[in-house]
Amino acid sequence: MMPSMAAQRETEVVTLGECLASFVAADAGPLAEARGFTRHIAGAEANVAVGLARLGHAVAYIGRVGGDGFGTAILRALRGEGVDVRHLTIDDSARTGVMFRERRVLGAMDVVYHRAGSAGSRLTPEEVVRAVDDGVFEGIRWLHLTGITPALSDSARAATMRALEEGRRIGATVSLDVNLRRRLWSDEQAAPVLRDLASRVDVVFGSTDELALVAGADLDSEPDQLVAAVAATGPRTVVVKLGRDGALGRDGETSMAEPGIAVTDVVDPVGAGDAFCAGFIAGRLDGVDLTTALRMGNACGALAVAASGDQSGLPDRVELARLLAGAGGPDTLR
Ligand code: KDG
């Protein structure tokens, strides 16, 4: 008998966190001078979820949004991208978190958060348990966590830990993007939590300063020393994201460095790290080797910085393949 509807695909990846309405300055420059903003959707885990969905993977996202227009916009956007949002709860008693950020193509980016007490920060282990009871984790291959969610509140930290337990129980690969957010907690608060998480996952992603914090290493340590130091704490795979310089990864005893893809016009660098994670995870789900996964991550990161907002530049399979093949734009196609 012909099925009357397209079959629902098995979930491959679960992630959880806070998705925010993000107001990104229209013009590049300092926040103090920004007058016009464009509303985007942001949140590291949601960015990874959308990145993976665009690359053809079935992803479920667990979180909370407020019962307001921003929450509705987030739900619609993620659903529209094909992300499973059955466990993105609407919390009518709280507001969706909001952030304003400047757009700089040079130097650190200033961000103003309005997320204390937000719906997203009220995530609890119960949301994770409900998803588990609904079978969302059954048969998944990958669980992606970040160091942002445990910084939001005690209950969000407990939710992260509950998801980690479930990922381990199911036998999924569990990744952690360290994503240290110093506007949410101090290094002293973050270090023990991030170290504990990193030691219990399979894959750790981070920038050099984040990996230095996790490893308790000097900030001026070389990237290969940092990945080795973090790997010594437990994870089999450690990747240091080096921005325009690409990435260096260690998988068991194998280490590989892959140069970044030069982007002549960086429009908005925020979200590049999440795009990298999406490309790398997609590669691993596809069964590619470390080098190819690093290349896929770098290509996704490069495409992300060439567009404004965290998610706009995330590629689909065709765009990714075109960049990796070194092809030009549509007018070069025959
Ligand atoms: O990685 C980009 C994120 O930092 C951004 O989308 C917002 O999740 C966010 C955060 O907490 O900073």
Side-chain angles (χ1 to χ4, degrees):
M1 198 171 63
M2 289 285 287
S4 55
M5 286 188 342
Q8 169 117 28
R9 286 180 309 151
E10 296 285 325
T11 305
E12 297 172 275
V13 184
V14 170
T15 189
L16 75 164
E18 177 170 24
C19 194
L20 309 120
S22 169
F23 288 82
V24 180
D27 298 317
L31 191 55
E33 297 300 322
R35 289 176 175 78
F37 294 84
T38 303
R39 202 265 296 143
H40 292 271
I41 302 298
E45 308 82 2
N47 296 343
V48 173
V50 169
L52 283 165
R54 287 193 189 169
L55 293 173
H57 291 286
V59 194
Y61 179 86
I62 303 170
R64 280 194 194 204
V65 289
D68 49 39
F70 293 144
T72 306
I74 288 169
L75 258 170
R76 287 181 184 163
L78 295 186
R79 191 186 290 128
E81 296 283 355
V83 175
D84 175 355
V85 288
R86 284 174 299 156
H87 292 276
L88 178 53
T89 308
I90 297 178
D91 179 345
D92 281 317
S93 60
R95 294 201 177 136
T96 304
V98 170
M99 62 185 269
F100 293 84
R101 70 169 173 83
E102 61 188 18
R103 207 155 55 73
R104 269 184 204 266
V105 289
L106 200 62
M109 191 96 57
D110 196 14
V111 169
V112 174
Y113 290 133
H114 291 271
R115 67 196 297 188
S118 65
S121 70
R122 294 191 189 190
L123 183 70
T124 72
E126 280 73 58
E127 272 90 82
V128 177
V129 171
R130 230 174 290 138
V132 170
D133 290 347
D134 272 0
V136 172
F137 282 74
E138 225 40 65
I140 61 163
R141 297 172 59 202
W142 201 290
L143 169 71
H144 180 66
L145 308 171
T146 82
I148 298 173
T149 318
L152 298 176
S153 65
D154 289 346
S155 68
R157 189 176 310 164
T160 308
M161 294 306 176
R162 184 67 191 83
L164 172 61
E165 268 168 37
E166 199 52 31
R168 294 262 71 113
R169 192 187 69 75
I170 284 288
T173 300
V174 183
S175 56
L176 170 75
D177 189 354
V178 177
N179 267 334
L180 176 64
R181 292 290 178 269
R182 293 191 166 95
R183 287 223 185 274
L184 297 178
W185 55 358
S186 67
D187 285 18
E188 291 68 34
Q189 291 170 314
V193 178
L194 296 174
R195 280 179 195 152
D196 175 46
L197 272 172
S199 70
R200 293 162 64 185
V201 302
D202 305 291
V203 183
V204 173
F205 301 103
S207 56
T208 47
D209 63 321
E210 290 169 343
L211 294 190
L213 183 87
V214 168
D218 284 346
L219 265 178
D220 56 6
S221 306
E222 291 300 321
D224 58 336
Q225 295 173 320
L226 290 171
V227 292
V230 175
T233 72
R236 179 185 161 81
T237 308
V238 182
V239 177
V240 57
K241 297 183 270 184
L242 300 166
R244 70 189 67 216
D245 293 328
L248 183 143
R250 178 186 167 112
D251 184 31
E253 294 309 309
T254 309
S255 287
M256 289 290 165
E258 269 302 310
I261 295 174
V263 182
T264 34
D265 242 331
V266 173
V267 178
D268 182 2
V270 175
D274 305 326
F276 177 92
C277 290
F280 185 92
I281 295 170
R284 291 312 239 181
L285 289 169
D286 296 346
V288 304
D289 61 15
L290 178 65
T291 306
T292 311
L294 291 171
R295 268 188 210 143
M296 288 171 70
N298 285 340
C300 288
L303 288 163
V305 306
S308 184
D310 294 18
Q311 299 179 0
S312 315
L314 291 166
D316 60 21
R317 284 271 164 190
V318 175
E319 289 167 292
L320 178 59
R322 196 182 287 154
L323 184 64
L324 286 171
D331 56 348
T332 66
L333 294 178
R334 270 164 244 179

